[in-house]
Amino acid sequence: MSEKKYAIGVDFGSESGRAVLVDVSNGQEVATAIHPYSNGVIDEKLPGTQIRLAPDWALQDPNDYLEVFKNTIPAVVKKGGIDPADVIGIGIDFTACTMLPTKKDGTPLCFLPEWRSNPHSWIKLWKHHAAQPEANKLNKTAREKGFDFLDRYGGKISSEWFFPKVWQILDEAPNVYAAADRFLEAADWVVWQLTGVETRNNTTAGYKAIWSKRQGFPPNEFFKALDPRMENVIEEKMSTDIDFIGQKAGGLTDEAAQWTGLKPGTAVAIANVDAHVAVPASTVTDVGSMVIIMGTSNCHMVLGKEEKVVPGMCGYVDEGILPGFFGYEAGQSCVGDHFAWFVENCVPAAYTEEAKDRGVDIHKLLEERAARLKPGESGLLALDWWNGNRSVLVDVDLTGLLIGQTLATKPEEIYRALIEATAYGTRVIVDAFEKHGVAVNEIVATGGLPDRNKLLMQIYADVTGKEVKIAASQQTPALGSAMFGAVAAGKANGGYDSIYEASKKMAHLRDERFAPRPEAQAVYNRLFKEYLVLHDYFGRGGNDVMKRLKALRAEIIES
Amino acid sequence: MSEKKYAIGVDFGSESGRAVLVDVSNGQEVATAIHPYSNGVIDEKLPGTQIRLAPDWALQDPNDYLEVFKNTIPAVVKKGGIDPADVIGIGIDFTACTMLPTKKDGTPLCFLPEWRSNPHSWIKLWKHHAAQPEANKLNKTAREKGFDFLDRYGGKISSEWFFPKVWQILDEAPNVYAAADRFLEAADWVVWQLTGVETRNNTTAGYKAIWSKRQGFPPNEFFKALDPRMENVIEEKMSTDIDFIGQKAGGLTDEAAQWTGLKPGTAVAIANVDAHVAVPASTVTDVGSMVIIMGTSNCHMVLGKEEKVVPGMCGYVDEGILPGFFGYEAGQSCVGDHFAWFVENCVPAAYTEEAKDRGVDIHKLLEERAARLKPGESGLLALDWWNGNRSVLVDVDLTGLLIGQTLATKPEEIYRALIEATAYGTRVIVDAFEKHGVAVNEIVATGGLPDRNKLLMQIYADVTGKEVKIAASQQTPALGSAMFGAVAAGKANGGYDSIYEASKKMAHLRDERFAPRPEAQAVYNRLFKEYLVLHDYFGRGGNDVMKRLKALRAEIIES
């Protein structure tokens, strides 16, 4: 044992798990290891069978998560060249809502031979979208019966969330529903496997399972209204004991110590969500800063001291991001995905060849050319709805729009228009927060995009009028989990007594900042006005042509 | 001399001239020759000088036209292996308004050393757009002073037309204006060179120079209101003797006979316009059929027995297309240009490579893929305004729009949406004609596109609900000119006494026809409704965002 203490953060993604070994004193990321899930995203056939899944299904295998622990934790300890006894805590974060049915002792139903061939016994990944009918019925019932919890979720519960998924199991496999002693988030399940202690974190409960600190879960009469068989789902299949993030779930069991090579009893934190755990890892522990995780989509998080209803956000949860704050979340469904779509479908051969000849990435080439344009120079304007609109319209049936093309329009101009469109989309969200009393004074960006695309950062600054800072870590979720691991260990064991202290020491920003440029801001203010008019015309019922085109498309494809 | 008689049509395009030798008895195209203009489109520097032209300028060299006669006519006679004495007539057609200043004897000012270095002494090609300020002032004055001739031109005179160009010369080079004894169309100038006879055809006069059979040119007070120096422009620089198409201008002079190798005295027809001369060459000589010349843009022509005002058309002229009819013309600014833009800027390398590997044209590949889609399947809708809108909105400041994109949108879906958009644009024109009493019962397509793109033809049939036929000739302007040449020769000399007889014998349709498919029509009727709503919202002042974006772009570029 040395004086240096370490924490490990394990970040569970859709395709793989990642462990990062972090120096508790300064947040230095000493070693990283990634383990891809053997069964990945299960969306065609149930593994080892010929059982086909319907198009909107997406499952996972819980065993893959255990393999992540067994492979990555020994790997980072070894790579880091450290004494495993110096690892004082572990934290995990997960995609959500990713949920499964288990027996009372935590055994997943899909591990049991009698249930293994029933797809409903497996894990439903966040992007399992087959519970849309249940989500629709749930929203309708909640509205009709006057349950006010929809207000906390921008007016609508998504098919990705907890109870639509539970209800789908009941609808389609009542025997699986009956056999399940528990429904729980995979996040809590992996913590259970490490510690032997069943916990339920308040973050996924709050954002995905309609729980709130003040009101708890919806009352039984609500579930009865959905389906009489679900009346007592909370008492029968859930737990009303909710554990708050920042707490310790337990210590590593002997078995888990053996899997990981760490000391039995090593502190394990209450489970958390990938996006939320990135907030303190991006140095944000107070009101006024919006953290945006920018990847294929954008996730916006802000802390608030008071409870505010912001129409169209994804949700807010008391203590959902950090203790002592309301955690507000909003989202854009399509950001990096826009650019990936554009590169795959719209970039001419001449550009691809130039990029190849010069040995640069095609995104880099497009960014380079787009950066030479001034705001307003392209004459183009886009609505960033290729994948629907999450915040603030909450409408998956909206689609894309590009306006202003001429025969002189070049690919880099369209590329820039798409970047600008996502920035306008973020400004709509920022403005909604500010209008409803949640302060946003600056933006801290993290995720895959900020690192790669400076133009994007500058445009976000110019469009929103907020300074944009960038988190130093390129893996803020894993770093954040390690920070929560250090907090679970506590100061007495070489860690921290609060996530605030941990963030102060372990989280950092890059030196590079992007300040709004007044001249660009002036032009973007004009363009944003135009964006808003189109946003409301096509998004708020002025002309529902997007929905009609989408419905016609579905009609034609099905005919 | 044999019994077979021939006529030659010479079609003057923007980059080259084309002669076609045609069998008068049946319209068979015996031989074709093309001669590219040495000086092409002059839009950078005046030939042989360092004199730079401003961006919107486009000039030509009249000598290039003479070279066309000298090269192509001997070539087709030789290729055809015929006796030049069997050529009974020549017709020519031209781009319009393509005009020049000359001396009284027809010598172009630019042939004279004292004027040669002044750009205003050269030919202004149809797409010379530098007279926009004059066009704007002209329209404003006409509206304010209540001159009703704007009604004949869809409400607006274009910068491409005759008097804006004349006025630009006066504005910028009053000495050239003063030195010019004549301003005339290049079409009439080349006929003058062949015959030694100065004529002015009623077609260009009617469509481009605000002349009408009933009212003649606008009165002197109108020109005085524009600029007092122009008060007597008609008497001083024009001619009020207007010659009608279908007549003979004169016979070949000895000099012209020497250039061409034909007999002196060979009949030469009154000059005509490329689009208009294609109408009888497409078999259309009566009301009810719309001829569409489909190339980079669409030109729509319909014959009518009565005078009707159709808002937004390009113009109508009594006897402007055929004797005895009003000739109605409308246009779409961007058709083939859309597809060319798309192929150059938006088609990914994978498609380009597949086309190359399979040895097919990229347009062919896109058509193939687009043809597999059903109407409505793409979920996309476009406004075909990449190059503004000619008919019926008459607004060059409108720009493009594409709506309905998702992350699943493929290039062939966008390609098809652009084809469909041009078809909706044509339907707007067809509907406008029908609504205002000009019958359109079927469409006859000619030009470069119908030959290459069957999908386009089928979509036009499905969208308009009209049967689409295709002219057999792939060079209907040259064929039409030859037909007018045969009419100039007359029946007594082996030709015809009217263009109607000539058309009956010499013009043909292909066997292939495209009938509207009821199922596709039903879907397109729904989509056209959506198109119309967007057309009016963005095109008629509901939201002038396109103009504001374009103005902002200009502001940024100029700053």
Side-chain angles (χ1 to χ4, degrees):
Chain A
M1 275 180 47
S2 77
E3 276 186 18
K4 268 209 182 293
K5 299 296 174 198
Y6 301 90
I8 292 176
V10 187
D11 168 41
F12 290 88
S14 300
E15 301 281 355
S16 63
R18 160 195 307 255
V20 178
L21 178 74
V22 180
D23 183 330
V24 167
S25 69
N26 58 14
Q28 193 203 334
E29 294 161 22
V30 179
T32 299
I34 294 172
H35 180 75
Y37 307 147
S38 319
N39 283 317
V41 176
I42 302 164
D43 53 10
E44 295 190 350
K45 278 186 210 163
L46 217 51
T49 75
Q50 289 304 314
I51 300 167
R52 293 209 148 275
L53 302 177
D56 288 334
W57 280 60
L59 305 179
Q60 294 208 307
D61 178 355
N63 189 56
D64 280 338
Y65 307 146
L66 301 181
E67 291 295 320
V68 168
F69 289 132
K70 293 176 192 171
N71 283 280
T72 59
I73 293 183
V76 292
V77 168
K78 192 176 165 199
K79 272 197 213 173
I82 63 153
D83 182 345
D86 288 328
V87 176
I88 59 170
I90 300 175
I92 72 102
D93 64 270
F94 227 103
T95 64
C97 159
T98 293
M99 56 80 72
L100 74 164
T102 71
K103 300 307 290 182
K104 207 169 4 196
D105 65 355
T107 307
L109 288 195
C110 65
F111 282 4
L112 302 173
E114 63 268 39
W115 298 112
R116 192 157 178 80
S117 62
N118 189 319
H120 279 294
S121 75
W122 292 62
I123 291 190
K124 288 188 167 61
L125 185 60
W126 65 274
K127 65 177 172 180
H128 175 90
H129 288 133
Q132 190 64 54
E134 285 79 8
N136 295 345
K137 287 187 288 177
L138 187 154
N139 286 315
K140 191 162 170 263
T141 304
R143 266 195 307 273
E144 284 173 4
K145 306 258 173 189
F147 291 95
D148 64 352
F149 57 74
L150 288 184
D151 290 347
R152 297 204 309 269
Y153 301 100
K156 219 183 253 179
I157 301 295
S158 158
S159 71
E160 292 181 1
W161 295 359
F162 201 84
F163 288 112
K165 281 171 170 160
V166 169
W167 196 3
Q168 192 201 0
I169 296 176
L170 176 60
D171 271 348
E172 299 178 9
N175 51 352
V176 171
Y177 183 89
D181 297 321
R182 299 281 187 281
F183 291 113
L184 79 166
E185 288 276 345
D188 293 321
W189 182 78
V190 298
V191 167
W192 194 350
Q193 302 314 298
L194 290 179
T195 60
V197 182
E198 180 185 356
T199 60
R200 290 188 185 250
N201 75 81
N202 71 308
T203 294
T204 52
Y207 285 100
K208 308 297 176 184
I210 324 183
W211 175 88
S212 84
K213 193 173 154 189
R214 221 176 45 212
Q215 301 184 301
F217 288 109
N220 290 11
E221 57 171 311
F222 170 70
F223 291 107
K224 188 180 173 188
L226 297 185
D227 188 318
R229 295 171 295 172
M230 259 173 55
E231 177 174 4
N232 302 308
V233 63
I234 302 300
E235 290 77 12
E236 289 170 8
K237 315 278 185 186
M238 309 284 290
S239 162
T240 48
D241 290 341
I242 300 292
D243 304 280
F244 283 77
I245 51 163
Q247 297 176 350
K248 176 177 168 180
L252 280 187
T253 61
D254 289 347
E255 192 188 7
Q258 229 169 4
W259 296 341
T260 58
L262 302 180
K263 264 196 330 190
T266 305
V268 177
I270 291 292
N272 213 323
V273 173
D274 46 10
H276 301 179
V277 81
V279 173
S282 302
T283 75
V284 172
T285 55
D286 208 342
V287 300
S289 296
M290 172 180 273
V291 174
I292 312 184
I293 304 192
M294 297 180 170
T296 53
S297 57
N298 269 359
C299 179
H300 311 72
M301 279 155 300
V302 194
L303 301 171
K305 276 286 181 195
E306 292 158 70
E307 184 167 4
K308 304 282 181 188
V309 171
V310 183
M313 79 199 140
C314 300
Y316 69 88
V317 171
D318 192 1
E319 317 223 346
I321 296 174
L322 288 178
F325 293 94
F326 286 89
Y328 294 88
E329 185 185 337
Q332 286 174 274
S333 320
C334 180
V335 180
D337 276 350
H338 261 135
F339 316 137
W341 172 84
F342 182 77
V343 161
E344 191 178 329
N345 291 287
C346 309
V347 175
Y351 283 54
T352 319
E353 277 158 31
E354 186 189 328
K356 208 173 140 197
D357 288 351
R358 290 178 39 201
V360 300
D361 179 81
I362 181 69
H363 284 281
K364 209 37 144 198
L365 179 83
L366 288 165
E367 186 195 347
E368 221 180 85
R369 288 180 176 233
R372 281 185 218 131
L373 299 164
K374 292 184 195 153
E377 186 178 340
S378 71
L380 298 175
L381 189 60
L383 291 175
D384 51 318
W385 301 345
W386 266 241
N387 197 21
N389 177 294
R390 184 62 189 92
S391 300
V392 298
L393 298 171
V394 199
D395 194 335
V396 295
D397 289 328
L398 296 174
T399 58
L401 176 127
L402 182 66
I403 193 168
Q405 300 95 318
T406 71
L407 291 174
T409 298
K410 306 302 296 172
E412 58 269 30
E413 294 180 314
I414 301 178
Y415 188 72
R416 185 173 176 123
L418 291 179
I419 293 178
E420 290 168 344
T422 71
Y424 302 138
T426 283
R427 176 156 168 192
V428 169
I429 291 167
V430 168
D431 288 359
F433 275 122
E434 290 189 316
K435 187 178 163 193
H436 292 92
V438 181
V440 179
N441 305 322
E442 61 167 22
I443 289 171
V444 181
T446 179
L449 284 179
D451 188 43
R452 293 199 301 266
N453 201 319
K454 283 178 201 292
L455 174 64
L456 186 86
M457 295 300 95
Q458 187 59 55
I459 289 175
Y460 272 60
D462 293 339
V463 166
T464 61
K466 312 289 180 191
E467 189 176 37
V468 177
K469 302 172 179 177
I470 301 179
S473 172
Q474 288 180 37
Q475 37 197 359
T476 42
L479 172 61
S481 287
M483 287 162 53
F484 277 102
V487 174
K491 199 169 212 162
N493 297 301
Y496 298 100
D497 279 345
S498 83
I499 188 67
Y500 304 103
E501 289 168 43
S503 177
K504 201 169 288 174
K505 292 289 176 62
M506 296 173 74
H508 308 283
L509 292 174
R510 288 206 211 163
D511 291 337
E512 191 177 24
R513 275 136 206 241
F514 297 87
R517 299 166 305 172
E519 227 176 287
Q521 249 185 297
V523 174
Y524 280 133
N525 281 339
R526 287 164 67 181
L527 288 166
F528 181 65
K529 255 191 219 161
E530 303 290 355
Y531 176 92
L532 272 189
V533 173
L534 295 172
H535 177 279
D536 289 353
Y537 179 70
F538 290 108
R540 297 196 197 267
N543 182 349
D544 282 337
V545 56
M546 290 172 178
K547 290 162 196 277
R548 287 190 297 268
L549 289 172
K550 202 170 170 180
L552 174 61
R553 172 177 154 82
E555 183 187 320
I556 299 293
I557 288 176
E558 280 157 23
S559 72
Chain B
M1 274 183 47
S2 76
E3 279 189 14
K4 266 207 183 298
K5 299 296 174 198
Y6 300 91
I8 292 176
V10 187
D11 168 42
F12 289 88
S14 300
E15 301 281 356
S16 64
R18 160 194 308 253
V20 179
L21 178 73
V22 180
D23 182 332
V24 166
S25 68
N26 58 13
Q28 195 202 331
E29 294 161 22
V30 176
T32 299
I34 295 173
H35 181 75
Y37 306 146
S38 320
N39 283 317
V41 177
I42 302 165
D43 53 9
E44 295 189 352
K45 278 184 210 164
L46 217 51
T49 75
Q50 290 305 311
I51 299 167
R52 295 208 146 275
L53 302 176
D56 289 334
W57 280 61
L59 305 180
Q60 293 208 309
D61 178 355
N63 189 57
D64 280 338
Y65 308 146
L66 301 181
E67 291 296 319
V68 168
F69 290 131
K70 294 177 192 172
N71 283 279
T72 60
I73 292 182
V76 293
V77 168
K78 192 174 166 200
K79 274 196 212 173
I82 62 154
D83 182 345
D86 289 328
V87 176
I88 59 171
I90 301 176
I92 73 105
D93 64 271
F94 227 103
T95 64
C97 160
T98 293
M99 56 80 73
L100 74 163
T102 71
K103 299 308 288 179
K104 209 170 4 199
D105 65 355
T107 307
L109 288 194
C110 64
F111 283 3
L112 302 173
E114 63 268 39
W115 297 113
R116 192 158 177 80
S117 62
N118 189 321
H120 280 293
S121 73
W122 292 63
I123 291 192
K124 289 188 167 60
L125 186 60
W126 64 276
K127 64 178 171 180
H128 175 91
H129 287 132
Q132 190 64 54
E134 284 79 8
N136 295 345
K137 285 187 287 176
L138 188 154
N139 286 314
K140 194 162 169 264
T141 303
R143 266 194 308 274
E144 284 172 5
K145 307 258 174 192
F147 290 96
D148 64 352
F149 58 73
L150 288 184
D151 290 347
R152 296 204 309 271
Y153 301 100
K156 220 183 253 180
I157 300 295
S158 158
S159 72
E160 291 181 2
W161 295 0
F162 200 85
F163 288 112
K165 282 172 169 158
V166 169
W167 195 3
Q168 193 201 358
I169 296 175
L170 175 60
D171 270 347
E172 299 178 10
N175 49 352
V176 171
Y177 183 90
D181 297 320
R182 298 282 188 278
F183 291 112
L184 78 167
E185 287 278 345
D188 293 320
W189 182 79
V190 297
V191 167
W192 194 351
Q193 302 315 298
L194 290 179
T195 60
V197 183
E198 181 185 355
T199 60
R200 291 188 184 249
N201 76 82
N202 70 310
T203 295
T204 52
Y207 285 100
K208 310 296 177 186
I210 324 184
W211 175 88
S212 84
K213 193 173 154 189
R214 219 175 46 212
Q215 302 184 302
F217 288 109
N220 290 11
E221 60 171 307
F222 170 70
F223 291 107
K224 187 179 175 191
L226 297 185
D227 188 317
R229 295 172 294 171
M230 262 176 47
E231 179 174 2
N232 301 310
V233 63
I234 303 299
E235 290 76 12
E236 288 170 10
K237 315 278 185 186
M238 309 284 292
S239 162
T240 49
D241 290 341
I242 301 293
D243 304 280
F244 283 74
I245 51 165
Q247 298 176 348
K248 177 175 165 180
L252 280 187
T253 60
D254 289 348
E255 191 186 8
Q258 228 169 7
W259 296 341
T260 58
L262 302 180
K263 268 198 322 193
T266 304
V268 177
I270 290 292
N272 212 324
V273 174
D274 45 9
H276 300 178
V277 82
V279 172
S282 302
T283 73
V284 171
T285 54
D286 206 342
V287 301
S289 296
M290 172 180 274
V291 173
I292 311 184
I293 304 193
M294 296 181 172
T296 54
S297 57
N298 269 359
C299 180
H300 311 71
M301 279 154 301
V302 193
L303 300 172
K305 276 285 180 199
E306 293 158 69
E307 182 166 8
K308 304 282 182 188
V309 171
V310 183
M313 80 199 139
C314 300
Y316 69 88
V317 171
D318 193 0
E319 317 224 345
I321 297 174
L322 288 178
F325 293 94
F326 285 90
Y328 293 89
E329 185 184 338
Q332 286 175 276
S333 320
C334 181
V335 181
D337 276 350
H338 262 135
F339 316 138
W341 172 84
F342 183 76
V343 161
E344 191 178 329
N345 291 286
C346 308
V347 175
Y351 284 52
T352 319
E353 277 157 31
E354 187 190 327
K356 208 173 138 196
D357 288 351
R358 290 178 40 203
V360 300
D361 180 78
I362 182 68
H363 285 280
K364 210 35 143 198
L365 179 83
L366 288 166
E367 186 196 347
E368 222 180 84
R369 288 179 176 233
R372 283 186 217 130
L373 299 164
K374 293 183 192 151
E377 186 179 340
S378 72
L380 298 174
L381 189 59
L383 291 175
D384 51 320
W385 301 345
W386 265 243
N387 198 20
N389 177 294
R390 186 61 189 91
S391 300
V392 299
L393 298 171
V394 199
D395 194 335
V396 294
D397 288 328
L398 295 174
T399 57
L401 175 127
L402 182 66
I403 193 168
Q405 301 94 319
T406 71
L407 291 173
T409 298
K410 306 301 297 172
E412 57 270 30
E413 295 181 312
I414 302 178
Y415 188 72
R416 184 172 176 124
L418 292 179
I419 293 178
E420 291 168 344
T422 70
Y424 302 139
T426 284
R427 175 154 171 194
V428 169
I429 291 167
V430 169
D431 287 0
F433 275 122
E434 290 190 317
K435 188 177 161 194
H436 292 91
V438 181
V440 179
N441 305 322
E442 61 167 21
I443 290 171
V444 180
T446 180
L449 284 179
D451 189 45
R452 292 199 303 266
N453 201 321
K454 284 178 199 293
L455 174 65
L456 188 86
M457 294 300 96
Q458 186 59 55
I459 290 174
Y460 272 59
D462 293 339
V463 166
T464 60
K466 312 289 180 192
E467 191 176 36
V468 177
K469 303 173 178 177
I470 302 179
S473 172
Q474 287 178 39
Q475 37 196 358
T476 41
L479 171 62
S481 286
M483 286 162 54
F484 278 102
V487 174
K491 200 170 211 161
N493 297 301
Y496 299 99
D497 280 345
S498 83
I499 187 68
Y500 304 102
E501 290 168 41
S503 177
K504 203 170 284 173
K505 292 288 176 62
M506 297 174 72
H508 307 282
L509 292 175
R510 289 208 211 163
D511 291 336
E512 191 177 25
R513 274 137 208 241
F514 297 87
R517 299 167 305 171
E519 227 176 287
Q521 249 186 296
V523 174
Y524 280 132
N525 281 339
R526 287 163 68 181
L527 287 166
F528 181 64
K529 256 189 217 161
E530 303 290 355
Y531 176 91
L532 272 189
V533 172
L534 295 172
H535 177 279
D536 289 353
Y537 180 68
F538 289 109
R540 298 199 197 266
N543 182 350
D544 282 337
V545 55
M546 290 172 177
K547 290 160 195 277
R548 288 190 297 268
L549 288 172
K550 201 168 171 182
L552 174 61
R553 174 177 152 81
E555 183 188 321
I556 298 292
I557 288 175
E558 280 157 24
S559 73

